[in-house]
């Protein structure tokens, strides 16, 4: 349950983001996107109740494993690509793809969550202008404030895929300003263990010019799923969740929270109605 204090939403932008998130969650039905079960409000707060995904955050599992093998990374990237492609088909840019916003269900399939930064009615690569996102995953055009759109999500996909395969995002630095400089200027390098086909896909997703990035054209996600990296994927079966996930989270029951970091599960629940 996401609880938002109305006092914190008096700023118009925050209120707009909250409305957008609620409308998107309500409108979008997709196997790899979290579903909204209830939305209601009291005098002081807004509440959004989502389905509970007991598999935990992809971020948590990546931290445990350090990095994923190529097959596991390909599986997650495939489901994420289908989810983002669906959003783009509805004119929605996600703008906050990161390992923390990808949850796993009990079987090990992904679900995108947190649509607080999503924007509607964007059908190109430059109509959105708000500076937003998570530093490690921000596309160069957002940093440059030159207008952004769908292609920014594909940059973030490249960043996340690189992180899954290598253990860290490609331009990571603990100093955010240095990291921003690297995102804009540093040469993209790869560890020796990465396969040539994985390097090729990452090189095409992490292109600084959004118009030349893979997925930037009218065909959007179809450009990406045709890449050789995904040659073994049956996309119809993938969308129907007929492909067995390479990793199944250990889930003891419907209310098991063992796949979430204790930093969250040990927090005191302070909200009451």
């Amino acid at each position: 349950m996401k609880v938002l204090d109305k006092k914190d939403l008096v700023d118009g932008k925050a209120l707009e983001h909250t409305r957008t998130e609620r409308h998107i969650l309500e409108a979008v039905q997709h196997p790899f996107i979290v579903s909204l079960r209830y939305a209601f409000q009291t005098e002081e707060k807004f509440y959004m109740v989502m389905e509970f995904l007991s598999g935990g955050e992809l971020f948590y599992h990546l931290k445990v494993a350090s990095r994923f093998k190529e097959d596991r990374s390909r599986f997650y990237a495939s489901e994420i690509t289908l989810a983002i492609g669906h959003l783009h088909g509805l004119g929605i840019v996600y703008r906050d793809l990161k390992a923390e916003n990808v949850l796993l269900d009990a079987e090990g399939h992904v679900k995108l969550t947190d649509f607080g930064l999503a924007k509607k009615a964007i059908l190109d690569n430059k109509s959105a202008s708000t500076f937003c996102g998570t530093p490690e995953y921000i596309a160069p055009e957002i940093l440059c404030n030159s207008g952004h759109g769908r292609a920014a999500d594909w940059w973030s996909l490249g960043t996340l895929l690189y992180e899954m395969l290598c253990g860290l995002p490609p331009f990571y630095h603990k100093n955010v300003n240095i990291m921003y400089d690297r995102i804009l200027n540093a040469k993209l390098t790869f560890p020796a263990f990465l396969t040539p086909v994985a390097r090729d896909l990452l090189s095409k997703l992490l292109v600084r010019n959004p118009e030349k990035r893979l997925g930037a054209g009218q065909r959007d996600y179809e450009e990406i799923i045709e890449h050789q990296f995904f040659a073994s994927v049956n996309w119809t079966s993938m969308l129907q969740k007929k492909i067995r996930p390479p990793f199944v989270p250990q889930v003891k029951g419907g209310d098991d929270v063992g796949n979430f970091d204790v930093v969250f599960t040990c927090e005191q629940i302070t909200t009451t109605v």
Side-chain angles (χ1 to χ4, degrees):
M1 180 159 71
K2 189 168 186 171
V3 185
L4 297 156
D5 199 314
K6 289 181 179 178
K7 285 201 300 286
D8 297 336
L9 299 177
V10 282
D11 159 31
K13 273 253 190 298
L15 187 59
E16 187 189 335
H17 286 319
T18 304
R19 278 209 188 102
T20 299
E21 178 170 27
R22 185 204 188 289
H23 291 149
I24 288 171
L25 283 168
E26 196 173 39
V28 175
Q29 300 295 319
H30 192 271
F32 307 131
I33 295 173
V34 74
S35 62
L36 179 72
R37 296 293 166 85
Y38 306 98
F40 56 93
Q41 57 181 302
T42 61
E43 277 188 28
E44 295 175 348
K45 289 171 181 165
F46 287 124
Y47 297 83
M48 285 188 278
V49 183
M50 268 76 76
E51 61 183 318
F52 175 56
L53 296 162
S54 53
E57 292 180 356
L58 189 67
F59 179 80
Y60 172 78
H61 295 292
L62 188 52
K63 201 164 69 170
V64 170
S66 295
R67 59 186 171 88
F68 298 147
K69 289 185 175 164
E70 192 169 294
D71 280 352
R72 187 172 173 186
S73 300
R74 177 173 19 256
F75 178 83
Y76 295 144
S78 298
E79 293 193 337
I80 291 166
T81 300
L82 288 172
I84 291 176
H86 181 72
L87 291 171
H88 288 181
L90 297 172
I92 298 164
V93 286
Y94 182 41
R95 302 201 296 188
D96 205 14
L97 179 60
K98 56 182 174 179
E100 294 94 325
N101 282 347
V102 180
L103 299 177
L104 299 186
D105 65 15
E107 283 86 50
H109 293 283
V110 312
K111 295 247 186 181
L112 294 190
T113 190
D114 197 345
F115 286 79
L117 295 182
K119 189 166 179 66
K120 297 189 288 186
I122 304 293
L123 298 167
D124 59 17
N125 296 320
K126 56 179 184 292
S127 292
S129 57
T130 308
F131 184 89
C132 63
T134 300
E136 292 91 324
Y137 301 86
I138 285 181
E141 61 268 28
I142 297 179
L143 284 178
C144 294
N145 199 25
S146 56
H148 63 274
R150 297 186 309 187
D153 283 338
W154 300 130
W155 173 278
S156 300
L157 176 69
T159 303
L160 179 56
L161 179 57
Y162 189 106
E163 183 180 13
M164 289 194 285
L165 290 165
C166 306
L168 276 175
F171 303 109
Y172 181 76
H173 194 281
K174 59 185 179 184
N175 180 311
V176 173
N177 289 323
I178 293 173
M179 183 159 60
Y180 285 165
D181 183 63
R182 286 181 174 185
I183 288 170
L184 292 173
N185 302 303
K187 185 174 185 285
L188 181 63
T189 59
F190 303 106
F193 58 78
L194 267 196
T195 62
V197 72
R199 291 175 189 226
D200 187 71
L201 176 59
L202 291 168
S203 297
K204 288 173 176 169
L205 289 170
L206 295 169
V207 170
R208 291 190 170 96
N209 181 341
E211 296 299 340
K212 294 183 178 172
R213 196 173 299 149
L214 191 66
Q218 285 299 311
R219 294 173 61 244
D220 193 56
Y221 80 101
E222 291 177 12
E223 293 180 13
I224 294 166
I225 67 175
E226 286 170 2
H227 190 275
Q228 191 63 28
F229 180 80
F230 296 110
S232 61
V233 176
N234 180 320
W235 291 100
T236 304
S237 299
M238 184 68 73
L239 187 60
Q240 293 170 351
K241 294 169 90 168
K242 288 181 178 173
I243 295 176
R244 182 174 166 78
F247 166 80
V248 179
Q250 286 190 312
V251 178
K252 299 185 182 106
D255 59 355
D256 182 13
V257 295
N259 289 299
F260 292 89
D261 197 307
V262 291
V263 74
F264 302 119
T265 54
C266 286
E267 281 186 10
Q268 288 297 308
I269 299 170
T270 55
T271 294
T272 62
V273 178

